[in-house]
Amino acid sequence: MAGHIETIDFRGLPALRLSTAAGASAVLTLYGAQLVSWMPARSQERLYLSEQAICDGRSPIRGGVPVCFPQFAAEGGLPRHGFARTMSWSVIEQRAGDDFALATLALSDDSDTRAHWPHRFNLELTAAIEDGRLDIELAVHNRGQASFAFAAALHTYLRVTEVETCQLEGLYGFEYRDALDGNTLRRESGDVLRVESALDRIYHNVSRPLLLRDDGGALGIHAQGFPDVVVWNPWEDGLTRCTDMAPGDFRRMLCVEAAAVRERIDLPPEQSWVGRQTLVAL
Ligand code: TA6
């Protein structure tokens, strides 16, 4: 069968399932424009999604690729990570060929968003799969008459076999802000990042692709437009705050996020900004 896209019910939420002829697939919920599954062709699931994720159409979904906009974490007065991940988006495009499938969802300001954040915007989230590759693109358009500034992130939860044995390469030499140590600035000194305890770091101006080595398969991770990379694992202690994750699940995930956080993006009227994260199964 050729590549195709179907509308499905995902744990009670409307969603699109994208498939390619060779067997790659992805699931994108309209709620939050959140990818909740990505399976490259001839491979296994590469995104972590909590079995206990709350899919009630009001709460953030724990796992997949939440879209953070226009705020990151609690760095501002909006709900954590902004409002885009807890709103319903609309489908504006879906296309499939033999070796690809893509869908674009959109979200515009309305009276709800303007009550929190008084700006006129249009967001588009495009998820595109090829056999071994996933591209996630976020486009922000300012349709108002004044500039606005925003933070954004694709908060990608990668599924790993065992977080203590996986290795993240490519961050050597980059400065990072350590959110678990009073936002102290440090420089990465290891060739390889190993996760042996809780980690919450924002690496700045990361100009190289990253490589995640895991027993379940290696993954190339590349971003364009997003200058920062956030690496997060809550470990055991942090799970007390993540009540929608099973106790041992911190071992099954590592967030490697494409982000624009250190400096917010200033967007003049009628201008657009685009950021993309690409994952390649190796
Ligand atoms: O991206 C890392 C982070 O900001 C962490 O500090 C951690 O709290 C995580 O996001 C998850 O946030 P959430 O609001 O989804 O529980």
Side-chain angles (χ1 to χ4, degrees), residues 60-63 66 68 72-75 79-81 85 153 155 157 179-180 199-202 230-234 238 241-242 244 255 257:
I61 302 171
R62 176 73 61 199
C68 306
F72 184 72
E75 300 181 4
R80 276 186 65 81
H81 289 314
R85 66 175 177 167
H155 196 303
Y157 285 73
L180 296 182
L199 205 71
D200 195 350
R201 298 179 178 178
I202 301 164
V230 181
V231 184
W232 177 62
N233 182 288
R241 239 181 39 78
C242 306
D244 49 0
C255 283
E257 309 165 30

Side-chain angles (χ1 to χ4, degrees), residues 216-232:
L219 204 63
I221 305 166
H222 180 50
Q224 286 168 281
F226 286 108
D228 305 323
V229 172
V230 181
V231 184
W232 177 62

Side-chain angles (χ1 to χ4, degrees), residues 28 32 37 45 56 59 82 88 101 108 125 127 140 145 172 222 238 265 273:
L28 179 64
S37 166
E45 177 63 53
D56 62 0
S59 316
S88 282
S108 296
L125 188 285
V140 182
Q145 292 183 346
Y172 176 79
H222 180 50
I265 309 280
W273 170 92

Side-chain angles (χ1 to χ4, degrees), residues 1-4 17-26 37-45 97-101 129-133:
M1 191 171 15
H4 60 285
R17 186 197 303 281
L18 288 63
S19 312
T20 70
S25 68
S37 166
W38 171 50
M39 231 180 294
R42 297 170 290 279
S43 189
Q44 58 203 29
E45 177 63 53
D98 272 353
D99 54 357
F100 79 95
I129 55 167
E130 292 173 31
D131 292 342
R133 171 180 172 133

Side-chain angles (χ1 to χ4, degrees), residues 194-275:
R194 290 192 176 81
V195 184
E196 289 155 344
S197 58
L199 205 71
D200 195 350
R201 298 179 178 178
I202 301 164
Y203 288 85
H204 300 144
N205 293 322
V206 176
S207 48
R208 283 197 295 264
L210 309 179
L211 177 68
L212 180 69
R213 293 185 194 276
D214 177 64
D215 291 345
L219 204 63
I221 305 166
H222 180 50
Q224 286 168 281
F226 286 108
D228 305 323
V229 172
V230 181
V231 184
W232 177 62
N233 182 288
W235 212 253
E236 227 162 350
D237 315 341
L239 284 189
T240 51
R241 239 181 39 78
C242 306
T243 48
D244 49 0
M245 270 172 84
D249 264 20
F250 70 94
R251 298 198 168 279
R252 306 281 93 83
M253 53 75 66
L254 181 64
C255 283
V256 181
E257 309 165 30
V261 167
R262 181 195 201 181
E263 286 177 19
R264 292 188 304 160
I265 309 280
D266 268 312
L267 198 59
E270 296 308 325
Q271 299 295 304
S272 297
W273 170 92
V274 177

